[in-house]
Amino acid sequence: MMIESAITVENLVKKFEDVTAVDGISVQVKKGELFGLLGPNGAGKTTAINILCGLAKPTSGTATVGGYDVQKEPEKVKELIGVCLQETAIYPYLTGAENVELFGDLYAMNKETLKKRRDVLLENVGLTGDAKRRTEKYSGGMKRRLSLILALIHNPQIAFLDEPTVAMDPKSRRDVWGFIKRLKKEGKTIILTTHYMEEAEELCDRVGIIDHGKLIALGSPEELISKNKVKNLEEVFINITGRKIREAV
């Protein structure tokens, strides 16, 4: 079934006891698009992703991923997606390669296919030389790179990458940018959250800026920069929120 939109969100609301984390968001993400969600901590980005991944239920509104309703058909959705959350899910007493193999086994991957994909992904994120080390010895940035592999080992159509380059040095961040660009060339749909405005400018086809649970700006980086008559996305954020994004982190 061919679907123009990989993700469709309509009037999505998520209320907790004392706060509305997601407040009436509507947006469509096209197949093969790299879409960035920008905003400070507490803006609603992670809550929105959790709903789309079936990890949280919305208070109201609808969301479809790959044509499947996230509430009515969560198992179908989970077959299509890979998720790299901010919290790393790594077994410290296993090596990097063993962690990858374990996750591949959980997806019931063919052994030969798993080995080939493991080796390619380890090379792509620069972890080949550390693949046989226990991950308890990994730096924070290395763990983030390994988390990317674990989320993508089964070759999902749609990837949710929540702050994938946090704790990385500049070189590792650039390496991951190249890796994400390759994923896009493979035709994958990617939802990226980041606090690094230069990262969003470099990678994203479109970005949505969320603040206090509301989608307050939507467009390509170039469109938003031109519309606000500024030099970069950081200045766009300042222009529409009155603060720098890192001041609100």
Side-chain angles (χ1 to χ4, degrees):
M1 179 171 57
M2 295 297 292
I3 302 165
E4 182 65 25
S5 294
I7 297 170
T8 300
V9 175
E10 295 183 358
N11 298 315
L12 200 64
V13 174
K14 178 62 176 179
K15 294 182 178 180
F16 295 100
E17 190 171 317
D18 57 348
V19 67
T20 300
V22 177
D23 193 0
I25 289 176
S26 296
V27 68
Q28 289 190 340
V29 178
K30 298 176 183 178
K31 288 183 67 175
E33 185 174 24
L34 205 166
F35 185 86
L37 275 179
L38 310 180
N41 285 346
K45 307 184 305 296
T46 298
T47 299
I49 285 181
N50 285 344
I51 292 171
L52 293 174
C53 297
L55 299 175
K57 291 184 178 181
T59 303
S60 61
T62 62
T64 61
V65 175
Y68 298 109
D69 189 294
V70 297
Q71 295 183 75
K72 298 176 181 177
E73 303 168 288
E75 295 306 317
K76 292 289 188 181
V77 170
K78 289 174 183 177
E79 290 175 4
L80 298 177
I81 66 174
V83 186
C84 181
L85 299 176
Q86 291 184 37
E87 300 82 14
T88 56
I90 293 170
Y91 291 90
Y93 295 106
L94 297 179
T95 66
E98 288 169 344
N99 268 279
V100 178
E101 290 161 8
L102 173 61
F103 274 70
D105 288 341
L106 292 174
Y107 287 111
M109 292 179 66
N110 171 275
K111 294 291 185 184
E112 185 175 346
T113 301
L114 171 56
K115 184 177 183 299
K116 289 180 180 178
R117 187 158 175 79
R118 176 203 69 190
D119 292 345
V120 168
L121 293 178
L122 284 168
E123 182 177 358
N124 283 346
V125 301
L127 285 178
T128 299
D130 298 288
K132 295 183 179 180
R133 290 177 60 195
R134 284 188 177 183
T135 55
E136 63 182 347
K137 304 293 186 182
Y138 278 18
S139 66
M142 291 169 69
K143 290 177 180 177
R144 292 301 294 156
R145 283 183 277 159
L146 182 60
S147 292
L148 271 174
I149 296 177
L150 302 184
L152 299 166
I153 186 61
H154 59 304
N155 203 21
Q157 296 178 27
I158 300 170
F160 293 89
L161 309 181
D162 196 5
E163 302 283 353
T165 62
V166 166
M168 289 186 188
D169 60 76
K171 181 184 183 305
S172 295
R173 184 175 295 127
R174 290 281 177 176
D175 288 344
V176 169
W177 288 4
F179 176 56
I180 293 173
K181 288 177 181 178
R182 285 192 290 272
L183 294 176
K184 186 179 184 307
K185 286 182 179 179
E186 293 173 7
K188 298 191 186 304
T189 303
I190 302 168
I191 308 300
L192 172 76
T193 75
T194 180
H195 283 119
Y196 301 112
M197 296 294 98
E198 69 277 13
E199 185 166 284
E201 283 189 46
E202 177 74 19
L203 298 176
C204 295
D205 298 313
R206 285 191 305 153
V207 299
I209 297 177
I210 297 178
D211 200 17
H212 301 294
K214 292 183 179 294
L215 186 65
I216 59 174
L218 178 67
S220 71
E222 295 79 12
E223 288 170 347
L224 294 178
I225 291 167
S226 175
K227 180 180 178 180
N228 286 273
K229 299 179 181 180
V230 294
K231 296 180 180 179
N232 52 49
L233 275 181
E234 182 77 33
E235 292 186 11
V236 171
F237 192 88
I238 295 170
N239 211 32
I240 63 178
T241 68
R243 55 189 169 159
K244 293 182 179 180
I245 192 167
R246 289 181 181 85
E247 288 177 352
V249 172

